[in-house]
Amino acid sequence: MTHLSTTGTSIFIGLLIGFVLLILAVGRIAGRRVDTADDYLMAGRSVPLGLSILALLATWFGSSAILGATRNAYEFGLSGTVLEPFACAATLILTGWCFAERLWKSQVQTVADLFRNHFGHASEWLSCAIQVPTFFCWIGAQYLSIGAILETYLGLPGWIGVAAACLVVLVIIWGGGMWAVTWTSSIMVVLSIASVVLLWIATAHTLGDGDVVFGVQTVLSNTPASQLHFLPDRNPVAILAVFGIFLTGLLGNIPGQDLQQRVLCAHNPKVAKWACIFSGILYLLIGLIPIYIGLAARWQLSDVITPEDVAADRVLPIAAAHFMSEPMVIVLVIGLLAVNLAVAASSTLSQTTILASNIFSRWNRHAQGQPWMERACLIGVTAGSLIAAFSGESVMGLLEISLAIVMVSLFVPMCHCLFGSPSSPWSGLAPMIAGAAAWGIHVFLSKTQEASVGLQASNLVWVWYMAIPSELQGLAASLVAAAVVHWMQPKPAA
């Protein structure tokens, strides 16, 4: 159902090779603007508004925003889309509204730099230890998605697709750094958005008998009302669970290096602010399309899509094969590959920046301004991402864990740096450690069956403790730790 004809396969291979060559050529041309390490990592802090908006969309608009949101809308309705696209779009808008200008004016290269400047080296290194493994998993997930797509449509073994994608990303970044990533990601995200819009138009046109607007109305009117609510159950436990998911998506990504590096590369603070806000609005509008596709597939294709298809994120490819012609499917598939490459390239460079600027900074001496250490770190990030990709299904589990840790440990110290006046190294270390510990204890207890036997039904405190999501408990612990450290510090004499 998701396979192409012989002619279609040949056309797909030709277009894919041409697309990759185009991207590599653009990256090479963009790399001519790189003269120093700052150009390599930060694009000279001179990226204009239009490119900043596209680059932010490319950083955010990964496979989870397309394939995952379609699957969740198909399976759960709106309640399954709280994270994607709503919380993630809100993250961009909130970052622009509250954080972007302050962070840009700090003139750091990484969030870890911010922690070092305010809390000292221990907080800097701990934040790096939290972030880098997170993004190894995230980058590896992009490579796995590319491998799965190529295996589906070309029959290639998954490892070949993973290795090929990794090589393309490595070549793009090697010569051009942030300028190459910015330009190539912008091209790739435009292609991916266009392909998703084509799928929406084709689906709505078919279901609306030639009228796109009527096609949208028809799907909504044929969707059960229970599928159009964010809260499937109106009890306190369900509300807390949904709030925990939304808050994790909203706050967990803000300290992330891939987002903040885009902010720091902007031409000025205003560009950084409005690029985040505009990209968040666009992200939300585009993110509604996978939701529509998922609801349409639930109405029209529930007898065709199997539970195995849902588990393997094949809802959108099956819908595409049903509603689109083969040439349009080819465009969609290339768009899906492009968006994964864009996210992988952006995230790879962000972690390269952390390694070069924070982990190996003492050895980072640039010969005539050439970024040799950055390229060495690039190889290290690529190797770590490949290991994560080939580690199998555990990648996605590690990704979810790591994203939660980023929120519960790094968000509060980052806010303290930008909006407060840290007074000691413990102002950073205590919230990081307390947040991660509270989150980890709750996760451990929730997975330990013996701990809940005889308690869950009889102890009301225990019931509520387990009902409150671990992410909320970790964030609360981080806030309390920051407040306690601040309260314990000696106050200056009047």
Side-chain angles (χ1 to χ4, degrees), residues 4 8 11-13 15-16 19 66 149 153 187-199 316 320 324-339:
L4 301 174
I11 294 173
F12 173 53
I13 293 173
L15 290 176
L16 182 60
F19 167 73
I66 304 176
I149 292 172
Y153 289 96
I187 293 172
M188 287 189 282
V189 78
V190 168
L191 174 61
S192 63
I193 291 173
S195 66
V196 173
V197 170
L198 277 178
L199 174 58
L316 186 139
M324 300 175 78
S325 64
E326 188 172 74
M328 295 176 71
V329 169
I330 292 172
V331 173
L332 175 66
V333 173
I334 293 178
L336 294 176
L337 293 171
V339 75

Side-chain angles (χ1 to χ4, degrees), residues 153-201:
Y153 289 96
L154 295 180
L156 289 174
W159 70 268
I160 294 179
V162 169
C166 180
L167 180 61
V168 171
V169 169
L170 183 63
V171 172
I172 289 173
I173 301 175
W174 184 268
M178 179 56 80
W179 275 119
V181 170
T182 298
W183 276 103
T184 57
S185 296
S186 298
I187 293 172
M188 287 189 282
V189 78
V190 168
L191 174 61
S192 63
I193 291 173
S195 66
V196 173
V197 170
L198 277 178
L199 174 58
W200 166 61
I201 292 174

